[in-house]
Amino acid sequence: MSPSRPCPHLDELDAQEPAELSASCEHCEKLGQRPVALRKCLHCGHVGCCDSTPGRWATEHHRQTGHAVMRSFEPGESWRWCFEDQRLV
């Protein structure tokens, strides 16, 4: 996808961001692992950890649901990523 073209997956998002479904990565917590670099799904509010953890739960959520856009759920960060386009949006 050309960098000058907007991400078409942003059009799939509601105008209001969904509330997070949890405060941390529940998958990591259940496994006794420390969540790293949390990501929030902007389609449904699922919170998962980044690809630096063994479970890669944010990416796994995308694989299971097809939800394309997430944002950092870390304090002070607001960047968004589209899994489908593999780029910041």
Side-chain angles (χ1 to χ4, degrees):
M1 173 166 280
S2 166
S4 61
R5 287 183 44 192
C7 172
H9 303 98
L10 294 175
D11 293 337
E12 300 171 1
L13 301 176
D14 288 338
Q16 185 171 342
E17 183 176 307
E20 58 274 3
L21 298 179
S22 61
S24 188
C25 179
E26 292 180 338
H27 302 287
C28 283
E29 291 180 357
K30 286 178 186 174
L31 295 170
Q33 299 171 341
R34 186 176 74 81
V36 176
L38 295 174
R39 311 296 187 227
K40 177 182 170 182
C41 175
L42 293 180
H43 296 266
C44 71
H46 173 269
V47 176
C49 56
C50 75
D51 287 357
S52 295
T53 60
R56 302 175 57 181
W57 295 110
T59 297
E60 183 60 24
H61 176 73
H62 162 67
R63 284 190 192 119
Q64 291 181 8
T65 64
H67 295 168
V69 184
M70 66 86 178
R71 75 165 174 86
S72 173
F73 195 55
E74 292 297 314
E77 295 183 357
S78 61
W79 57 268
R80 300 179 302 178
W81 177 259
C82 177
F83 286 105
E84 293 296 321
D85 295 330
Q86 293 291 296
R87 67 180 176 116
L88 293 171
V89 294

